[in-house]
Amino acid sequence: MMEDVKIKFIDECYNEAIELKEGFKKTENKKWNIMTVLLELGVQIGHIFDIKCNNSDVKEPMRNINNLGDEISDVLLQTMYLGYLEDVDFKKNIDFKYSEIDGIVALYGQLVETVMEEESYRFKKERVGFESRLDFINDRILRIYLLTINYAIECNIDVITEFKKMKDNAEEFLKNYEENYRM
């Protein structure tokens, strides 16, 4: 069943994700690149942990972040766009059934570090078992995707339905943004 959801999500939501991310360009004051998409992915991962921790010591006052399906969809949106930028094959068959959401922090850190190396912000190091850093980057993007889907399934979240709800809400936001905030 997991494999079906992973492929079905790509078939039904990948193009919508790319179109939605492209639609958000009208809200950006500066052109985004892989580094800024990575930063946004970090924000969305943080939102999942905000819900998971559910503790006033880490919650941001006056922010109502409480819809796990929506936050998982946001992580998937950013992951899809990173995959788009890096030409990741999300249908690639790798054996990755891990579903502990805490693992996303390790994968995200590895991804950020390697992208920083590729962008010459950090010294470059070999990634054992990979022909290049780009192969490692693609692998980590794919693993973040798979882990997020696995976690959603474990939480009994219908990721396709939740993603489409998030997309509809985001498109409504973009419509209102154009009407009310664009100067």
Side-chain angles (χ1 to χ4, degrees), residues 31-151:
K31 183 178 166 112
W32 283 34
N33 58 29
I34 189 166
M35 296 289 286
T36 46
V37 178
L38 271 174
L39 290 171
E40 182 64 22
L41 176 59
V43 169
Q44 302 309 326
I45 290 170
H47 289 175
I48 287 176
F49 279 87
D50 191 1
I51 293 168
K52 186 177 186 286
C53 293
N54 194 25
N55 186 295
S56 61
D57 289 339
V58 296
K59 283 206 170 285
E60 184 180 350
M62 305 305 289
R63 293 285 306 266
N64 191 18
I65 299 171
N66 59 15
N67 183 333
L68 186 58
D70 184 66
E71 300 309 335
I72 286 172
S73 296
D74 289 341
V75 167
L76 290 170
L77 174 66
Q78 301 310 319
T79 305
M80 295 293 98
Y81 201 68
L82 280 172
Y84 170 75
L85 294 175
E86 293 297 312
D87 200 28
V88 171
D89 178 5
F90 285 104
K91 291 184 178 182
K92 182 178 180 183
N93 187 15
I94 67 168
D95 186 28
F96 191 76
K97 297 191 178 9
Y98 192 80
S99 63
E100 298 285 330
I101 195 61
D102 295 6
I104 202 169
V105 176
L107 293 171
Y108 177 73
Q110 295 163 11
L111 175 60
V112 170
E113 179 181 50
T114 311
V115 169
M116 289 177 73
E117 291 171 13
E118 274 303 293
E119 297 293 319
S120 300
Y121 288 102
R122 292 180 60 103
F123 68 93
K124 295 180 180 181
K125 61 186 102 15
E126 180 183 350
R127 298 296 172 182
V128 176
F130 294 88
E131 289 186 29
S132 69
R133 275 178 300 286
L134 292 177
D135 288 341
F136 186 82
I137 288 168
N138 286 0
D139 180 79
R140 289 313 182 250
I141 292 169
L142 180 58
R143 286 174 189 269
I144 288 171
Y145 167 72
L146 295 171
L147 173 60
T148 305
I149 293 284
N150 293 344
Y151 179 66

Side-chain angles (χ1 to χ4, degrees), residues 122-183:
R122 292 180 60 103
F123 68 93
K124 295 180 180 181
K125 61 186 102 15
E126 180 183 350
R127 298 296 172 182
V128 176
F130 294 88
E131 289 186 29
S132 69
R133 275 178 300 286
L134 292 177
D135 288 341
F136 186 82
I137 288 168
N138 286 0
D139 180 79
R140 289 313 182 250
I141 292 169
L142 180 58
R143 286 174 189 269
I144 288 171
Y145 167 72
L146 295 171
L147 173 60
T148 305
I149 293 284
N150 293 344
Y151 179 66
I153 291 168
E154 189 173 278
C155 293
N156 295 313
I157 292 173
D158 179 340
V159 287
I160 294 171
T161 299
E162 289 296 325
F163 187 87
K164 290 182 183 282
K165 281 189 217 173
M166 179 277 297
K167 181 183 125 322
D168 291 345
N169 290 337
E171 287 173 342
E172 186 64 29
F173 167 81
L174 290 172
K175 180 181 166 199
N176 289 332
Y177 179 85
E178 289 247 291
E179 293 171 3
N180 299 314
Y181 300 105
R182 200 67 172 172
M183 298 188 189

